[in-house]
């Protein structure tokens, strides 16, 4: 089930999937690891070879994280000589994986088996602090 949430100041209302899902007696249902891992993720607007698609709503997750002090010192030195800043690469990768997992959890809770139209946005708030937003549309499809 979905409810309509206003989209910031545009006046446009978008359906947003409930999370976590609740049955009629108010019991919160938790998704299993297998159910979450089985959610297919697409950057396209529909799953591959889908015959029927039921839209469940927009999903959105975000996270702000920082590196540790020792990583910052090493990164500062590395940026002087050039090359990959491994601490920042790992931080970005870790956040991305956490958010994709959370997005899949929300999809299962919304009754979906796929996420379409996946988009990611990464911003540096200030030195060493990353903000990452991942969003897409939850759908239930059949092949």
């Amino acid at each position: 089930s979905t409810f309509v949430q206003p989209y910031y100041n545009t006046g446009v209302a978008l359906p947003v999937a409930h999370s976590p899902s609740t049955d009629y007696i108010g019991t919160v249902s938790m998704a299993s690891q297998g159910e979450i891992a089985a959610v297919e993720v697409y950057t396209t607007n529909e799953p591959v070879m889908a015959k029927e698609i039921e839209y469940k709503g927009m999903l959105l997750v975000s996270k702000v994280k920082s590196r540790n002090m020792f990583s910052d010192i090493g990164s500062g030195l590395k940026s002087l000589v050039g090359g990959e800043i491994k601490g920042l690469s790992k931080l970005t990768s870790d956040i991305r994986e956490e958010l994709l997992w959370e997005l899949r959890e929300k999809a299962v809770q919304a009754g979906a088996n796929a996420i379409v139209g996946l988009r990611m946005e990464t911003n540096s708030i200030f030195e060493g602090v990353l903000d990452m937003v991942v969003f897409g549309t939850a759908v239930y499809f059949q092949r």
Side-chain angles (χ1 to χ4, degrees):
S1 66
T2 61
F3 68 95
V4 175
Q5 176 177 329
Y7 182 70
Y8 297 99
N9 297 325
T10 65
V12 176
L14 296 174
V16 178
H18 283 286
S19 174
S21 62
T22 307
D23 63 18
Y24 292 104
I25 11 178
T27 309
V28 175
S29 60
M30 300 304 292
S32 72
Q33 299 274 336
E35 288 175 311
I36 296 167
V39 173
E40 297 179 20
V41 179
Y42 297 91
T43 56
T44 58
N45 290 328
E46 58 185 51
V48 173
M49 299 187 323
K51 288 197 180 1
E52 294 181 33
I53 302 173
E54 179 184 343
Y55 290 88
K56 298 292 189 174
M58 183 178 119
L59 301 174
L60 174 72
V61 292
S62 65
K63 209 167 258 196
V64 177
K65 281 197 169 183
S66 66
R67 297 176 298 189
N68 67 41
M69 181 181 67
F70 300 110
S71 178
D72 284 344
I73 293 168
S75 296
L77 296 172
K78 188 67 173 181
S79 66
L80 293 174
V81 296
E84 180 185 6
I85 301 172
K86 290 186 179 171
L88 191 54
S89 292
K90 180 165 177 16
L91 176 65
T92 304
S93 176
D94 290 348
I95 295 171
R96 184 173 41 249
E97 291 306 314
E98 289 172 24
L99 290 177
L100 283 170
W101 188 260
E102 287 179 28
L103 204 65
R104 283 183 167 109
E105 280 182 309
K106 282 188 170 192
V108 170
Q109 292 166 351
N113 61 356
I115 300 163
V116 297
L118 181 78
R119 300 292 181 263
M120 295 183 178
E121 187 176 303
T122 305
N123 299 298
S124 180
I125 296 176
F126 51 86
E127 185 66 32
V129 178
L130 288 178
D131 169 39
M132 188 176 286
V133 179
V134 179
F135 57 96
T137 303
V139 298
Y140 180 83
F141 76 96
Q142 294 179 355
R143 290 195 166 103

